[in-house]
């Protein structure tokens, strides 16, 4: 009997997982809650730090053939979505195997709750059952293997002190700017406006470069006391990452007239009254017309509540993988891990790609693809 594999998510890792499983003879279905590559569409014109050759599997390369962009291309998120992912979904062998607007509500084992037969071989013998919400209504699918490629960047993290929501944050009636695509789309409206930028990761580094071109008056609030707030990597081999980080840090170190940098601060309270009134730690208050919050994301685990998966209390990704890579700070120096480090604790259920890393900032597509090969080799025959 042909084993059934369901892949959750039609991003880069989801389609790579699907192609790898098809190559090995499995009956594959991909479930995507939005459209193929939708998370990458939210990047706007922001480019990958890594060249295309680091971001595609051999199977993806074979399907695309000569239509694949050059290996050294630094594609934007939407370009990668359209030229690589959507093109893969339109071709064999993925054609008709990718179901969009199919949101996985819950995954469990047939007839078993999370607490039934934990660690017992009987659990492996029961198929997975997935409750899926589609445009036609709810449906239930079964599978022998589930590969969760839902990503680690799903739920925006709060921007209050200590990672908690600031007072008033959850009651704001107007949406904040949370993606680089949204920031690019609103550039014209931000001219002459007072904008608060929160965060000092790579998304914030890209954001400050965009805001520098808008004519906005920007306050950049960062938790770190460093004069150069974005993490520099010495002799960074990814030239685009080095360029973006250096540009952001140069602006922070010697702020031009449009920019004020608030260091070692977090938001304590926020209210909206035609504008945003913000209280920072330390007592300072200010008003803003717009807020761009780039404080990171966390994965969504609601759909796996009835599976006996082991998640890291630190990253919310895979617990075993976290223990294997917790001391690694450079995504380009990630070691190969053992097959058991990629197991979830629930037989034949795997987190793949950035979902397995959760909040950890060290995920790289190249590493995810290498780890995916290890997972595919471990699947039942």
């Amino acid at each position: 009997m042909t084993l059934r594999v369901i892949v959750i998510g039609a991003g880069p890792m989801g389609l790579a997982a699907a192609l790898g499983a098809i190559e090995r003879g499995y009956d594959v279905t991909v479930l995507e809650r939005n459209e193929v590559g939708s998370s990458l569409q939210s990047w706007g014109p922001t480019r990958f730090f890594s060249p295309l050759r680091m971001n595609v599997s051999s199977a993806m390369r074979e399907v695309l053939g000569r239509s694949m962009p050059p290996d050294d291309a630094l594609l934007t998120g939407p370009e990668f979505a359209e030229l690589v992912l959507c093109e893969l979904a339109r071709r064999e062998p993925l054609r008709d195997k990718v179901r969009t607007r199919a949101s996985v509500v819950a995954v469990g084992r047939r007839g078993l709750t999370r607490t039934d037969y934990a660690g017992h071989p009987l659990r492996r013998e029961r198929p997975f059952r997935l409750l899926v919400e589609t445009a036609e209504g709810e449906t239930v699918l079964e599978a022998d293997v589930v590969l969760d490629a839902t990503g680690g960047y799903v739920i925006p993290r709060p921007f209050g002190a200590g990672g908690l929501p600031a007072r008033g944050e959850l009651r704001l009636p107007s949406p904040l700017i949370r993606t680089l695509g949204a920031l690019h789309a609103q550039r014209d409206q931000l001219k002459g406006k007072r904008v608060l930028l929160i965060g000092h990761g790579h998304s914030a580094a890209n954001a400050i470069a965009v805001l520098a071109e808008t004519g906005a008056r920007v306050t950049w609030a960062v938790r770190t006391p460093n004069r150069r707030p974005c993490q520099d990597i010495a002799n960074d081999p990814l030239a685009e990452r080095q360029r973006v980080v250096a540009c952001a840090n140069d602006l922070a170190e010697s702020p031009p007239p449009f920019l004020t940098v608030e260091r070692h601060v977090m938001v304590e309270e926020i209210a909206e009254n035609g504008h945003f009134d913000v209280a920072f730690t330390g007592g300072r208050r200010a008003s803003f017309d717009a807020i761009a919050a780039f404080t990171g994301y966390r994965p969504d685990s609601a759909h796996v509540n009835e599976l006996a998966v082991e998640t890291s209390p630190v990253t919310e990704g895979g617990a075993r993988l976290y223990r294997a890579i917790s001391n690694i700070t450079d995504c380009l120096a990630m070691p190969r891990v053992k097959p058991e480090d990629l197991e979830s604790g629930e037989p034949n259920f795997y987190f793949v790609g950035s979902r397995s890393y959760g909040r950890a900032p060290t995920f790289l597509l190249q590493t995810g693809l290498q780890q995916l090969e290890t997972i595919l080799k471990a699947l039942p025959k």
Side-chain angles (χ1 to χ4, degrees), residues 19-346:
L19 285 172
I22 291 170
E23 275 189 326
R24 288 161 173 80
Y26 296 101
D27 178 13
V28 176
T29 299
V30 181
L31 302 175
E32 166 57 50
R33 66 177 178 178
N34 293 311
E35 299 295 333
V36 172
S38 60
S39 62
L40 292 175
Q41 295 287 359
S42 71
W43 289 21
T46 306
R47 296 190 178 279
F48 276 79
F49 290 148
S50 50
L52 182 61
R53 65 177 175 273
M54 296 175 62
N55 302 325
V56 293
S57 67
S58 58
M60 296 164 85
R61 186 183 298 275
E62 183 176 344
V63 172
L64 291 175
R66 293 184 178 181
S67 69
M68 196 177 81
D71 274 356
D72 60 353
L74 294 176
L75 300 181
T76 67
E79 285 172 346
F80 192 98
E82 183 55 40
L83 299 177
V84 178
L85 301 183
C86 291
E87 190 61 33
L88 286 170
R90 285 190 284 262
R91 298 188 182 197
E92 296 293 346
L94 287 179
R95 184 186 299 155
D96 302 326
K97 295 188 180 297
V98 181
R99 298 176 59 176
T100 58
R101 299 293 169 181
S103 179
V104 176
V105 179
V107 186
R109 292 278 191 180
R110 184 198 288 170
L112 301 179
T113 69
R114 182 186 184 117
T115 60
D116 292 332
Y117 302 105
H120 193 283
L122 177 62
R123 201 165 175 86
R124 184 185 296 270
E125 297 171 8
R126 298 289 181 90
F128 293 100
R129 286 174 61 84
L130 293 84
L131 177 64
V132 183
E133 180 69 41
T134 71
E136 293 76 35
E138 293 180 337
T139 188
V140 174
L141 302 177
E142 289 198 345
D144 304 293
V145 175
V146 175
L147 304 177
D148 187 334
T150 51
Y153 315 114
V154 180
I155 302 172
R157 286 159 56 185
F159 52 75
L164 300 179
R167 292 192 300 274
E169 180 180 348
L170 301 181
R171 297 194 298 273
L172 292 175
S174 299
L176 306 182
I177 299 171
R178 287 283 192 173
T179 67
L180 290 165
L183 180 61
H184 276 278
Q186 296 181 40
R187 283 187 303 171
D188 292 343
Q189 298 97 294
L190 295 177
K191 184 176 182 179
K193 298 295 180 65
R194 301 163 299 173
V195 179
L196 173 63
L197 171 63
I198 309 172
H200 59 273
H202 290 139
S203 293
N206 274 293
I208 192 63
V210 175
L211 289 168
E213 300 174 352
T214 63
R217 290 171 287 157
V218 181
T219 296
W220 188 5
V222 297
R223 289 190 298 126
T224 175
N226 299 337
R227 294 198 62 79
R228 297 177 68 83
C230 302
Q231 182 181 11
D232 273 312
I233 296 176
N235 302 313
D236 193 341
L238 299 179
E240 179 67 6
R241 179 171 64 182
Q242 184 178 46
R243 183 192 68 79
V244 169
V245 169
C247 175
N249 281 336
D250 288 347
L251 288 169
E253 189 170 31
S254 300
F258 80 89
L259 178 61
T260 300
V261 181
E262 294 284 351
R263 292 180 173 81
H264 209 199
V265 299
M266 289 170 279
V267 175
E268 287 278 13
E269 186 173 5
I270 184 170
E272 185 178 359
N273 301 294
H275 54 269
F276 297 99
D277 292 319
V278 177
F280 296 102
T281 51
R284 181 175 177 268
R285 291 180 173 270
S287 295
F288 302 94
D289 303 301
I291 295 179
F294 291 94
T295 51
Y297 287 79
R298 53 182 292 262
D300 185 356
S301 299
H303 61 291
V304 297
N305 282 342
E306 285 306 319
L307 294 179
V309 294
E310 300 173 19
T311 55
S312 164
V314 179
T315 66
E316 299 181 75
R320 300 179 187 187
L321 179 60
Y322 173 72
R323 289 194 290 269
I325 65 172
S326 59
N327 293 324
I328 307 299
T329 58
D330 182 358
C331 61
L332 288 169
M334 197 63 62
R336 287 191 176 273
V337 296
K338 300 187 293 293
E340 52 266 33
D341 293 328
L342 298 169
E343 294 175 353
S344 70
E346 181 72 67

